[in-house]
Amino acid sequence: QAQVQSGGGSVEAGGSLRLSCIGPNSTYCTYAMYWYRQGPGKEREFVSGIDSRGGIRHADSVKGRFTISSDNAKNTIYLQMNSLKAEDTAMYYCKADSPGCRVWDLWGQGTQVTVSS
């Protein structure tokens, strides 16, 4: 079951964008959900994550600028990105895992974020 992403686009440095990702809808499985990104010529890297208990992590490169949040009623996570920099330019992907249900690597289709300096 793929994730459905929305948001992204082009913005000038210092601007803001918000990404959304609709996750799996399951009665029995709880999911941890993450944001990853892959910049031009770079490997995919972790950005932010929220586990099934609500615990949150951010990569050092985005701490203080990006905020991950969730709306459990909508099975949706968000990534609010503020003070964007040119180096934030990347394809952003959401991912869901449910270790309890042995479900791994449910990726979204990706959404492009381009920050011009």
Side-chain angles (χ1 to χ4, degrees), residues 1-5 21-24 31-38 43-48 91-97 103-111:
Q1 185 176 0
Q3 319 313 310
V4 179
Q5 297 181 222
C21 174
I22 301 173
Y31 287 84
M33 295 187 69
Y34 310 93
W35 289 102
Y36 282 75
R37 67 186 181 186
Q38 187 166 14
E43 295 186 353
R44 193 171 296 189
E45 64 177 0
F46 169 80
V47 176
S48 299
M91 185 70 78
Y92 284 70
Y93 298 89
C94 65
K95 183 173 82 85
D97 293 333
V103 175
W104 307 95
D105 297 335
L106 298 180
W107 289 97
Q109 80 274 19
T111 187

Side-chain angles (χ1 to χ4, degrees), residues 53-76:
R53 298 180 182 180
I56 289 174
R57 290 186 299 130
H58 292 289
D60 288 343
S61 59
V62 305
K63 281 181 180 177
R65 301 188 298 121
F66 290 12
T67 302
I68 188 172
S69 61
S70 65
D71 184 337
N72 293 332
K74 297 181 180 180
N75 298 313
T76 300

Side-chain angles (χ1 to χ4, degrees), residues 22-35:
I22 301 173
N25 186 5
S26 174
T27 303
Y28 303 106
C29 300
T30 57
Y31 287 84
M33 295 187 69
Y34 310 93
W35 289 102

